[in-house]
Amino acid sequence: MKVGIIGLGLMGGSMAKALSGTGKYTVEGYDSDGETLRKALSSGAVARPLTKDGLSSCDIVVVALWPQAAVDYIKENAQNFSKSCTVIDICGVKRFVCESLYDTARENGFVFVGAHPMAGYHLSGFENSKAEMFKNASVILTPYENTPEKAVKTVREMFLDIGFARAVISTPGEHDRIIAFTSQLAHVVSNAYVKSPEAVEHKGFSAGSYKDLTRVAYLNEDMWSELFLENGDNLVKEIDSIVEHLVQYKEAIENGDRGRLRSLLREGKLLKKQIDG
Amino acid sequence: MKVGIIGLGLMGGSMAKALSGTGKYTVEGYDSDGETLRKALSSGAVARPLTKDGLSSCDIVVVALWPQAAVDYIKENAQNFSKSCTVIDICGVKRFVCESLYDTARENGFVFVGAHPMAGYHLSGFENSKAEMFKNASVILTPYENTPEKAVKTVREMFLDIGFARAVISTPGEHDRIIAFTSQLAHVVSNAYVKSPEAVEHKGFSAGSYKDLTRVAYLNEDMWSELFLENGDNLVKEIDSIVEHLVQYKEAIENGDRGRLRSLLREGKLLKKQIDG
């Protein structure tokens, strides 16, 4: 099976390495940066550069670009995919990407399936990519109503082949709503956390809790500012929600109201227990 | 060297096990719950029950109770410690505990040193205690100006003997200010995080960031409500600070201001990099 990968950064590079490593897929790749492409070729992650002709013979095309660039690429190349090709993106927002591309795919006779691999790393670029990136991770797939089952099966199998433990089927709307909570809010809170005036002098005073809360504060601001704006409605709701709750604890503390504070903490504890089982 | 431990819960129990394990310390212990004391004795964590007579021959007494109970215990037993005894508490707040006890110690001729081991676990009780609890952790010590150096050295050595990697000398005021940020705020934010309406249905949509952000949401609400109120001034400042910052991201998103959002994220990223080196 021939897979074309557009964009050989952290995620595209890792997928190239993982797919090539299976022996089941032949990977052709493209990156707008010639040096990155050269590295991908010489490392064996990519068998050949992906040309326009090569694109038309791919069984699967993975567009591993940021959302706006992924949409632009797929629209510009809509006529270059074969009719039996399944094109996927791997962006962290799905309404923005999928809603405009479902039509493009239908009109041009290829299949498009939105995908979001729940894996990553705080550093970007091909040099940080690795075949083991997806070990035991989830991938979320957001096919549309009329997506051929065969295409979904092929994509699902490809993800399982490279280490994913499970594929979760969702809709773009559900995906964006939940991901605003599980991932985007985590990055905002973590990035805000380190802005306390105490942050710079805390050395020697921190245990695991500080470390956990701030792990994802180090992020690619160009990519995340795009992702946040493309899911702004959901993310604003999540920020409002956590702020509202934080203020409740604060007021209980200001009022010296131990009963209220205790019940706020107990409520969170029981939710955590319920959620994680 | 004979160490008396008052309170054989998670922390006191772990210290008892770790100290006994060194072979260098003889541990006598007391717990208001007879069953806990019996378990501590039969497991070998404690050599003998600590009697009132036994207390007066301890070289070190570790009071492993919550703050108010620790203060009460030490005041009530102020005349029962030997003049060469060093008494320590291990509470997570230091002004509340230390400020009233420095006088008690001076008036009664024993030495008191405040300590805060930066280690823990989300479940409490002797049944969750373990000798390895303190491996590579920091302990913060808050001696007062006139604390004999010898006593600080003895306490420091005891902590290093049971696995701590370092002892950091601080003041109660500095400790409480920084700990409000590194530990207390982390518990508040984590506990607030799981209160989003999306929390209960996120399964299959979460990667490491959700897990990290909510790890400490499961907490002992009785203990933490006491700790938060005893450090309320500092903790309220920290909650105000993170809320103020969260609102800045939110406004940038609402305004669709990518430049502003990008610079807020970049600021956090650079701080995280600067702080962690």
Side-chain angles (χ1 to χ4, degrees):
Chain A
M1 190 163 271
K2 184 173 147 189
V3 180
I5 300 185
I6 313 300
L8 297 165
L10 177 71
M11 298 299 281
S14 295
M15 285 197 68
K17 287 176 181 173
L19 286 165
S20 295
T22 62
K24 182 173 162 186
Y25 301 89
T26 304
V27 177
E28 298 188 358
Y30 173 76
D31 197 282
S32 59
D33 177 57
E35 180 58 18
T36 296
L37 181 55
R38 201 193 54 72
K39 276 187 212 156
L41 287 164
S42 70
S43 71
V46 162
R48 275 178 302 278
L50 181 63
T51 61
K52 199 174 163 179
D53 269 359
L55 189 64
S56 67
S57 64
C58 285
D59 301 296
I60 299 176
V61 172
V62 179
V63 183
L65 303 173
W66 296 358
Q68 185 63 60
V71 169
D72 292 347
Y73 176 87
I74 295 172
K75 288 195 171 171
E76 280 160 21
N77 287 278
Q79 308 220 345
N80 303 328
F81 304 120
S82 103
K83 303 297 169 195
S84 61
C85 180
T86 300
V87 179
I88 69 169
D89 80 303
I90 55 164
C91 296
V93 290
K94 295 267 71 86
R95 284 175 304 172
F96 177 84
V97 172
C98 299
E99 281 167 11
S100 56
L101 290 181
Y102 288 158
D103 286 344
T104 306
R106 197 179 316 118
E107 287 159 14
N108 291 276
F110 63 91
V111 175
F112 174 76
V113 178
H116 181 190
M118 303 295 295
Y121 188 56
H122 67 288
L123 299 175
S124 50
F126 183 80
E127 54 275 23
N128 293 299
S129 66
K130 52 178 185 177
E132 305 74 31
M133 177 72 81
F134 312 113
K135 217 82 192 153
N136 293 322
S138 295
V139 60
I140 303 167
L141 301 180
T142 59
Y144 49 114
E145 258 177 49
N146 303 318
T147 307
E149 263 196 45
K150 189 166 161 274
V152 179
K153 199 170 158 263
T154 304
V155 169
R156 188 177 172 277
E157 208 169 288
M158 177 187 74
F159 281 114
L160 298 185
D161 282 341
I162 59 173
F164 283 89
R166 74 200 71 83
V168 178
I169 303 294
S170 183
T171 63
E174 183 188 55
H175 168 276
D176 285 6
R177 198 164 43 78
I178 302 182
I179 227 65
F181 167 68
T182 55
S183 169
Q184 297 192 328
L185 182 65
H187 286 79
V188 172
V189 168
S190 194
N191 197 266
Y193 199 101
V194 294
K195 293 186 175 176
S196 160
E198 300 303 327
V200 290
E201 49 166 325
H202 81 278
K203 287 224 168 159
F205 289 80
S206 77
S209 55
Y210 161 81
K211 206 176 145 194
D212 281 358
L213 264 284
T214 64
R215 184 180 62 82
V216 293
Y218 193 95
L219 46 68
N220 182 324
E221 65 272 17
D222 289 310
M223 185 179 79
W224 284 99
S225 58
E226 180 179 340
L227 290 168
F228 289 170
L229 289 181
E230 285 155 357
N231 197 24
D233 51 350
N234 287 316
L235 183 51
V236 162
K237 267 186 223 160
E238 291 301 328
I239 299 176
D240 278 341
S241 169
I242 196 168
V243 165
E244 188 192 320
H245 287 111
L246 286 170
V247 169
Q248 291 175 356
Y249 299 85
K250 184 189 106 154
E251 287 174 352
I253 296 166
E254 281 178 329
N255 297 333
D257 188 343
R258 184 154 176 203
R260 167 78 174 146
L261 184 55
R262 185 184 170 284
S263 86
L264 288 170
L265 292 168
R266 182 169 174 78
E267 188 192 2
K269 166 190 177 168
L270 295 180
L271 272 165
K272 171 71 176 165
K273 195 175 174 184
Q274 179 194 340
I275 294 163
D276 296 356
Chain B
M1 191 164 271
K2 183 175 149 189
V3 180
I5 301 185
I6 312 300
L8 297 166
L10 178 71
M11 298 300 280
S14 294
M15 285 196 68
K17 287 177 180 173
L19 285 165
S20 294
T22 63
K24 184 173 159 185
Y25 300 89
T26 303
V27 178
E28 298 187 357
Y30 172 77
D31 197 282
S32 59
D33 177 57
E35 181 58 19
T36 297
L37 180 57
R38 199 193 54 73
K39 278 187 210 155
L41 286 164
S42 70
S43 72
V46 162
R48 275 178 301 278
L50 182 63
T51 60
K52 197 173 166 182
D53 269 0
L55 189 65
S56 67
S57 64
C58 284
D59 301 296
I60 299 177
V61 171
V62 178
V63 183
L65 304 173
W66 296 359
Q68 185 63 60
V71 169
D72 292 347
Y73 176 87
I74 295 172
K75 288 194 173 173
E76 281 160 21
N77 287 277
Q79 308 219 346
N80 303 330
F81 304 120
S82 103
K83 303 297 169 194
S84 60
C85 179
T86 300
V87 179
I88 69 170
D89 79 305
I90 55 165
C91 296
V93 290
K94 297 266 71 89
R95 285 174 304 173
F96 177 85
V97 173
C98 298
E99 281 167 10
S100 57
L101 290 181
Y102 289 158
D103 285 345
T104 307
R106 196 179 316 116
E107 288 159 13
N108 291 277
F110 64 90
V111 175
F112 174 76
V113 178
H116 181 190
M118 303 296 293
Y121 188 57
H122 67 288
L123 299 176
S124 50
F126 182 79
E127 53 276 24
N128 292 299
S129 66
K130 52 178 184 176
E132 306 73 32
M133 177 73 80
F134 312 112
K135 217 80 190 158
N136 292 322
S138 295
V139 59
I140 303 167
L141 302 179
T142 58
Y144 49 115
E145 256 176 51
N146 302 319
T147 307
E149 263 196 45
K150 188 165 162 276
V152 178
K153 198 169 160 265
T154 303
V155 170
R156 188 177 173 276
E157 208 169 287
M158 177 187 74
F159 281 114
L160 298 185
D161 282 341
I162 59 173
F164 283 89
R166 73 200 72 82
V168 178
I169 303 294
S170 183
T171 63
E174 182 187 56
H175 168 276
D176 285 5
R177 197 164 42 76
I178 302 183
I179 227 65
F181 167 68
T182 56
S183 169
Q184 296 192 329
L185 181 65
H187 287 79
V188 172
V189 168
S190 193
N191 197 266
Y193 200 101
V194 295
K195 293 185 176 177
S196 162
E198 300 303 328
V200 289
E201 49 166 327
H202 83 278
K203 286 224 168 159
F205 289 80
S206 79
S209 55
Y210 161 80
K211 207 175 145 195
D212 281 358
L213 264 284
T214 63
R215 186 180 60 84
V216 293
Y218 193 97
L219 44 68
N220 181 325
E221 65 272 16
D222 289 310
M223 184 179 78
W224 285 99
S225 59
E226 179 178 340
L227 290 168
F228 288 170
L229 289 181
E230 286 155 355
N231 196 24
D233 52 349
N234 287 315
L235 183 52
V236 162
K237 268 187 220 160
E238 291 301 327
I239 298 176
D240 278 341
S241 168
I242 197 167
V243 165
E244 188 192 320
H245 287 110
L246 286 170
V247 170
Q248 291 176 355
Y249 299 85
K250 184 189 106 154
E251 288 175 351
I253 295 167
E254 281 179 330
N255 297 332
D257 188 344
R258 183 153 176 204
R260 168 77 174 146
L261 184 54
R262 185 185 171 285
S263 86
L264 288 170
L265 292 169
R266 181 169 173 77
E267 188 192 1
K269 166 191 176 167
L270 295 180
L271 271 166
K272 170 70 176 165
K273 195 175 174 184
Q274 179 196 339
I275 294 163
D276 295 355

